[in-house]
Amino acid sequence: MASFGGDAQMDERIVSSRPSGCPHAFCGCEASLYRFGRIIPQLNLATNWRRFPRATPAPGMAAVRSGHVMILQQHVAGNIWYVHDGNAGGHVTREHPRSIAGYTVVDPSSAAFALHS
């Protein structure tokens, strides 16, 4: 269990391993499965998530940086968010608290924007 600022505690849990049909580097593929319910091949590359419009951190938004993307679930404290994090080390998907410092937050609610830009 991770503790942040005393009282806020959140469990880290392993959700799954690499999903069938996803490439070896699967954070973008896992994020599209989690957010859209299907693999969107254009989003397998984490950098392509930057095509979505910029947003303020909120549940359902994506945090992206060079080579990695994760989906925000719940604010913990400061820059710490509980996230759905595909390929989060050891080739597994974790849900755990992570800092989003250095990440660009985007709103993936408009799939048409990302796929046709």
Side-chain angles (χ1 to χ4, degrees):
M1 184 172 284
S3 177
F4 298 95
D7 294 338
Q9 294 186 349
M10 307 204 82
D11 288 329
E12 176 174 311
R13 67 187 190 103
I14 295 175
V15 178
S16 64
S17 58
R18 180 172 56 90
S20 177
C22 286
H24 183 72
F26 64 91
C27 66
C29 184
E30 173 62 33
S32 74
L33 277 169
Y34 181 76
R35 188 63 174 79
F36 303 112
R38 64 187 177 93
I39 295 171
I40 300 172
Q42 297 93 323
L43 296 177
N44 285 351
L45 185 61
T47 301
N48 285 343
W49 285 78
R50 291 181 192 252
R51 293 181 181 177
F52 290 111
R54 303 299 183 261
T56 57
M61 301 297 111
V64 61
R65 69 174 187 205
S66 180
H68 196 64
V69 62
M70 54 195 179
I71 304 297
L72 305 181
Q73 294 180 307
Q74 180 181 348
H75 184 242
V76 177
N79 284 331
I80 307 296
W81 278 77
Y82 196 73
V83 299
H84 183 87
D85 192 359
N87 204 17
H91 302 291
V92 297
T93 296
R94 289 184 172 85
E95 290 184 344
H96 60 154
R98 288 282 309 263
S99 172
I100 61 168
Y103 282 81
T104 300
V105 177
V106 297
D107 181 356
S109 64
S110 174
F113 181 88
L115 302 177
H116 297 103
S117 294

